[in-house]
Amino acid sequence: MSNNSPLATGGEAVTVRVFSQRFSSTPRGARLARRLAEIQFERWGLGHRSGLSRTAALIVGELAANAVTHGRVPGRDFELVLSRTPGAVLRIEVSDARGELRPSTRPPVPDALAESGRGLLLVDALADRWEVVDRHPVGKTVRAELDLTARPPGPSGVTPPGGGATPAG
């Protein structure tokens, strides 16, 4: 489902684009969420193979995988919501039904030989900010944001947080 809604900011209208879809809480559902997110990013003009698109798709993939691995409740789906405010922010939200299992916003560093446990480390490294919020009436939402002003869509490669800018000095 796609929706466009105007948002008034400083006297001028801005169109906020929104994509929302529920998926089965299975590995297949997580893969489909990432693939549909990639298609949506292309429709929004973020570039199919741009650094921004790849970064955002990686975040979607990690959050969706966490939702089906740690947030799964039999018979309940997870939800992906993408929103884009042109020139401002790309927001990725993944919601699941397990509100009592909340990830730490400071993910621990996994054992070097561990086969899992790096998803939120990637989200933390790639997103400009992320948080976990309650979802009403039940569950939680993990929200990650990418600032678009610092990340113009590039031709290839993953754009680091802050658009690759180096500190002055």
Side-chain angles (χ1 to χ4, degrees):
M1 173 193 290
S2 187
N3 179 31
N4 294 332
S5 60
L7 175 72
T9 56
E12 66 182 78
V14 175
T15 300
V16 177
R17 293 189 165 90
V18 178
F19 170 88
S20 177
Q21 181 71 48
R22 290 183 182 267
F23 298 92
S24 64
S25 290
T26 63
R28 183 174 186 227
R31 287 190 305 271
L32 183 57
R34 179 178 173 147
R35 181 65 186 123
L36 289 180
E38 291 172 329
I39 292 168
Q40 191 61 50
F41 298 147
E42 186 173 358
R43 286 182 181 159
W44 285 345
L46 300 180
H48 178 64
R49 295 282 185 192
S50 72
L52 175 63
S53 176
R54 288 181 179 188
T55 298
L58 180 58
I59 291 170
V60 169
E62 293 300 333
L63 295 181
N66 282 352
V68 303
T69 303
H70 306 292
R72 184 176 186 276
V73 172
R76 292 282 186 91
D77 296 337
F78 75 93
E79 182 179 34
L80 170 66
V81 176
L82 306 172
S83 60
R84 176 179 177 244
T85 305
V89 73
L90 175 65
R91 177 179 285 174
I92 300 161
E93 297 179 327
V94 176
S95 301
D96 64 54
R98 296 287 302 266
E100 75 280 7
L101 288 179
R102 296 171 70 93
S104 169
T105 54
R106 293 190 177 265
V109 177
D111 181 297
L113 299 177
E115 294 183 13
S116 63
R118 292 175 181 81
L120 288 178
L121 286 173
L122 286 171
V123 171
D124 192 53
L126 295 172
D128 289 301
R129 67 203 142 268
W130 69 280
E131 64 182 344
V132 182
V133 296
D134 290 333
R135 181 172 192 238
H136 298 288
V138 64
K140 68 179 173 299
T141 298
V142 181
R143 176 184 301 146
E145 292 183 338
L146 298 170
D147 292 329
L148 298 178
T149 54
R151 298 170 192 266
S156 65
V158 175
T159 304
T166 56

